Amino acid sequence: MTGARRRPLVSGNWKMHHDHLAAIRTMADLGLRLDAEDAARVDVSVHPPFTDLRSAQTVMEDRSVPVFLGAQHCHHRDEGAFTGEIAPPMLARLGVSYVIVGHSERRQHFGQSDEDVARTLRAVQRHGMTPIICVGETGEEREQGATEERLTAQVTASLGSAGGLTASAIVVAYEPIWAIGTGKTATAADAQQACAHIRAVAAGCIGQEAADQMRVQYGGSVKPESTSELLACPDVDGVLVGGASLDAASFADIVHAAASGAPRR
Ligand code: PEP
């Protein structure tokens, strides 16, 4: 199956930026810039900090902003004595559709393990939301030629360790760590090779048919100018955007670039 037949997903990860007032302004601004034509061609998710979710959701509903609400992380348990954590059903009740799981910043700074990623993505699915599972190599691993080995290990640990998965409702984001927040974007050829590899490894875990349906995003210093070339790759089905998603104008430009190359449906 070619990339053109999977509906692109453009996701904006605000990380620890924008308080709830900035979130209201940014979401309202986005509502003025995105239209039905974008929604007919691509899915868009916005992932604000937890404290912004309710405000962002209210603006989205009031103004019919054509985006899905997203979260950046959650715990794998439904409730309990886990101070400072957020449970999947809390997100589902707020209308969250997509949850980023295993972002490299969670893995690096908060010690999130592959096992925890595997548990969390299943918990996210149990509550009707779609996980966006992040995988990617460090600069050192890339220099050693160990990119595919790293991706194989992360994808297998996430998808292959146990059952309990709805294979069709999985998104994987290829996010080379050396490209995140650095201004260095992978070439389209590198992104294609890595995303195709991820799909091939996923096929071994969830079956070829599900892997063919699974969307694989590229993330790492994506800008409006780099979007079209990345999305023209047959195995790149969307982009996960950090810095450039904070500004409604640049994020809308990325969505428009993605929409311009996608069929209407
Ligand atoms: C990210 O945080 O997932 C990301 C890709 O960030 P940036 O676009 O800023 O590199």
Side-chain angles (χ1 to χ4, degrees), residues 13 15 103 105 175 179-181 219-222 240-243:
N13 173 17
K15 311 194 186 196
H103 191 281
E105 288 154 14
E175 294 218 303
I180 296 180
S221 297
V222 172
L240 177 52
V241 187

Side-chain angles (χ1 to χ4, degrees), residues 59-238:
V59 178
M60 280 166 53
E61 282 186 7
D62 284 355
R63 305 191 182 199
S64 302
V65 185
V67 304
F68 292 98
L69 192 59
Q72 300 174 17
H73 167 73
C74 66
H75 198 270
H76 64 272
R77 297 279 185 89
D78 286 2
E79 60 180 359
F82 300 103
T83 302
E85 284 291 331
I86 301 287
M90 296 172 180
L91 298 177
R93 286 278 281 165
L94 274 171
V96 166
S97 301
Y98 291 90
V99 184
I100 296 171
V101 180
H103 191 281
S104 61
E105 288 154 14
R106 300 288 325 168
R107 295 178 191 256
Q108 273 184 315
H109 305 309
F110 302 97
Q112 191 172 21
S113 64
D114 281 339
E115 294 70 33
D116 190 63
V117 170
R119 282 193 296 256
T120 304
L121 77 95
R122 286 165 176 77
V124 164
Q125 282 200 337
R126 264 202 314 281
H127 291 279
M129 301 175 288
T130 300
I132 299 177
I133 307 154
C134 297
V135 297
E137 81 285 3
T138 62
E140 206 182 336
E141 286 164 336
R142 177 180 159 80
E143 276 162 29
Q144 290 164 357
T147 298
E148 293 197 348
E149 195 183 317
R150 184 80 191 115
L151 297 178
T152 300
Q154 287 182 318
V155 172
T156 306
S158 301
L159 303 182
S161 58
L165 278 179
T166 307
S168 54
I170 296 170
V171 178
V172 176
Y174 167 57
E175 294 218 303
I177 295 170
W178 51 268
I180 296 180
T182 59
K184 295 182 201 154
T185 313
T187 63
D190 283 348
Q192 164 58 25
Q193 190 177 338
C195 291
H197 179 74
I198 287 168
R199 195 178 309 285
V201 176
C205 300
I206 58 176
Q208 190 64 56
E209 200 181 329
D212 281 341
Q213 287 168 15
M214 184 182 89
R215 290 182 289 187
V216 183
Q217 296 175 308
Y218 166 79
S221 297
V222 172
K223 298 277 181 303
E225 312 80 74
S226 51
T227 303
S228 300
E229 197 188 355
L230 287 162
L231 280 166
C233 300
D235 283 287
V236 180
D237 309 314

Side-chain angles (χ1 to χ4, degrees), residues 14 17-30 48-49 52 55-56 59 246 248:
W14 290 1
H17 297 288
H18 287 346
D19 63 19
H20 76 287
L21 297 174
I24 290 168
R25 282 195 299 272
T26 309
M27 191 58 86
D29 193 355
L30 205 51
D52 299 355
S55 309
V59 178
L246 292 173

